Amino acid sequence: MPGAQPDLPWLGQPHTVAVPKRRSPAAVIGVCLGAVAVLVLGLVAIVALNRTETPLANPNFRDAPSSQDSPAPLPPGGAGAPASASAPSSETPSPTATGPQKVLKLADHPILQDPNAGLQNRVCTLPAWQSTQEGAEAFFTAASKCLDAAWGPFLEAYHLPFTPPALHFPTGASFETECGTIQVGIATAAYYCENNLYVPFRGLQTDQYGNNPGVYLALFAHEYGHHVQEVAGLMDAAWQKIYEAGQNSPAGLEMSRRKELQAQCFSGMFLGAHVDQGGTISRDMYNKAWNDQETRGDNTSRSHDHGTNAHYAAWWRAGATSNRIADCNTFAAPSSEVS
């Protein structure tokens, strides 16, 4: 038995051993059988004494993989712009490519399925807003780092090919993109195209909005939301539908509105996850961004591709209050909620 001492010789007085008497064969057989029985019982006893209640681990055993294809939800967050254009990506996933790939789906996209998935509550530290070209560049550069830190891990958890967008700060009356020449104006306070995010200072209307960093941040987060769509594959899938229907057809315009309103919801998610977390995104910034959303949308721009001002505000606020990406599934919403 484990821990037992070895048998010791008898240490008593010496004794003589008598000559054994001869036994009959039957007796000998009986003695032998008895000895065998004793030996067997002894082995059984030794085995029994060495057993423990904990089963031995199988070194080759491993837990079966989860039957769910989607990753575990990220920890949910708390808290309860003139829209710009975006364009389809010319990149299409290669069937032979390895590594993370876009998923060209809309309402059934993997990132939109988990009702508990949201952005982590994080600290975002931004420089004080200054209504100058240099001040805006510093502010948005810092904001892009916070957006990268928020959306990057989320998208990578779904095995999507995340890379940060390239930032550009045009200073002229127009600028060149892969989507064409863009004129700076009220409708182009910020612009996203093909993994590039443009923020022309002239389009921010700082003479009207002044020192309101929450307004500028929500605008910037909206355009970054288009990058989230691009990386995920939502952007390409939406543009495929728009092209099939025709950009100016009722169906094409509705798909455009769904795409834009989802970027609104993503913008709200970002501010909702970062307000009051100890950084510089304050409750005042959040409240001003909240109120500003009602001033934006198709009622203001007289277009039909972004959603009414009421819907523009509603989808932003849905993301800001719940911080649940499933609540940003504009592609599954009824037409009455994306008009």
Side-chain angles (χ1 to χ4, degrees):
M1 292 185 297
Q5 297 297 317
D7 291 337
L8 297 175
W10 177 253
L11 298 179
Q13 295 297 323
H15 60 282
T16 59
V17 179
V19 178
K21 300 179 180 179
R22 294 179 61 86
R23 293 184 174 89
S24 65
V28 172
I29 293 172
V31 170
C32 291
L33 291 174
V36 170
V38 171
L39 179 61
V40 171
L41 291 173
L43 290 173
V44 171
I46 291 173
V47 171
L49 289 171
N50 278 281
R51 288 187 60 188
T52 63
E53 294 302 319
T54 303
L56 296 176
N58 183 343
N60 295 320
F61 178 82
R62 63 187 296 269
D63 291 332
S66 172
S67 60
Q68 297 180 350
D69 293 330
S70 60
L74 296 174
S84 67
S86 55
S89 171
S90 59
E91 301 174 1
T92 55
S94 169
T96 60
T98 58
Q101 296 293 312
K102 295 180 181 180
V103 179
L104 272 62
K105 293 184 177 182
L106 293 173
D108 58 343
H109 196 284
I111 69 171
L112 302 175
Q113 304 311 304
D114 191 332
N116 296 315
L119 297 179
Q120 292 184 11
N121 295 125
R122 300 179 64 92
V123 174
C124 177
T125 302
L126 305 172
W129 176 260
Q130 295 180 5
S131 294
T132 64
Q133 176 75 32
E134 296 75 17
E137 289 187 20
F139 181 86
F140 291 122
T141 298
S144 70
K145 300 300 182 185
C146 293
L147 284 152
D148 292 343
W151 285 109
F154 182 92
L155 294 167
E156 288 170 347
Y158 288 89
H159 310 293
L160 295 167
F162 176 78
T163 53
L167 287 183
H168 307 274
F169 301 100
T171 57
S174 65
F175 54 93
E176 298 296 325
T177 75
E178 292 188 40
C179 304
T181 301
I182 307 302
Q183 300 296 323
V184 176
I186 295 176
T188 51
Y191 190 88
Y192 179 82
C193 173
E194 295 281 2
N195 300 302
N196 290 274
L197 210 167
Y198 302 87
V199 189
F201 178 72
R202 291 187 182 186
L204 293 175
Q205 298 176 273
T206 56
D207 55 339
Q208 176 180 343
Y209 294 103
N211 186 23
N212 273 307
V215 172
Y216 305 126
L217 181 61
L219 163 71
F220 186 74
H222 170 104
E223 295 306 320
Y224 196 103
H226 286 313
H227 184 64
V228 174
Q229 293 173 320
E230 176 69 41
V231 171
L234 289 157
M235 179 75 80
D236 291 351
W239 273 102
Q240 285 180 0
K241 296 292 186 183
I242 293 170
Y243 282 148
E244 289 171 3
Q247 284 185 257
N248 295 316
S249 69
L253 290 170
E254 179 174 309
M255 181 55 63
S256 178
R257 292 193 296 271
R258 292 180 186 275
K259 171 173 60 66
E260 293 295 333
L261 291 170
Q262 184 175 72
Q264 271 293 90
C265 193
F266 288 172
S267 172
M269 281 181 64
F270 173 76
L271 269 77
H274 291 75
V275 65
D276 294 338
Q277 296 301 314
T280 53
I281 300 180
S282 65
R283 176 63 55 170
D284 180 67
M285 289 173 62
Y286 177 85
N287 289 341
K288 288 180 178 177
W290 178 287
N291 294 330
D292 180 68
Q293 303 312 311
E294 294 179 354
T295 71
R296 304 179 186 275
D298 289 344
N299 300 104
T300 300
S301 64
R302 304 300 179 188
S303 61
H304 302 286
D305 56 357
H306 280 67
T308 64
N309 289 28
H311 287 152
Y312 219 62
W315 283 101
W316 191 92
R317 293 167 181 173
T321 53
S322 75
N323 185 18
R324 298 296 184 273
I325 199 164
D327 292 342
C328 295
N329 194 349
T330 57
F331 301 107
S335 296
S336 60
E337 294 181 9
V338 295
S339 61

